Amino acid sequence: MDPFRARIPFHDPHFPLRTSHVAPLSAAFGYLHCHPEYEIAYIPEDHGSYMIQDAEIPIAPGDVFIVNANEIHQPIIPRADNGGALVTYFGA
């Protein structure tokens, strides 16, 4: 599997909703990925960008992003000690 555009399988008994805190986030677009559920990502304290499909969108503290199921995406926060993102995944 190409790690640059990986598809992450979903096998969670708590589906259709799961939440996790992801930190720190990557400082480069090295792991664009997709998964079969929708995603809502909240950026609590950092600046950076969010790659969704072929668009790079600037992010700032307090931003919220909705990513469709199976869309290629990756949040990027350049600060090494960043606070990450609070991410919730849910089914259609």
Side-chain angles (χ1 to χ4, degrees):
M1 178 187 308
D2 180 359
F4 185 64
R5 289 190 181 245
R7 179 173 173 81
I8 299 172
F10 183 68
H11 304 288
D12 189 325
H14 304 300
F15 190 76
L17 179 68
R18 64 187 168 114
T19 303
S20 62
H21 186 235
V22 180
L25 295 175
S26 175
F29 290 120
Y31 192 68
L32 290 168
H33 64 280
C34 67
H35 36 73
E37 56 287 336
Y38 293 87
E39 174 179 317
I40 298 175
Y42 169 68
I43 309 300
E45 61 184 63
D46 294 291
H47 290 84
S49 55
Y50 214 109
M51 182 70 124
I52 301 176
Q53 294 295 93
D54 292 326
E56 186 175 348
I57 303 158
I59 58 177
D63 283 353
V64 174
F65 290 87
I66 298 174
V67 180
N68 287 324
N70 299 310
E71 277 191 333
I72 301 291
H73 64 283
Q74 177 65 43
I76 304 300
I77 298 177
R79 191 172 58 108
D81 60 343
N82 68 73
L86 180 63
V87 182
T88 300
Y89 306 92
F90 59 95

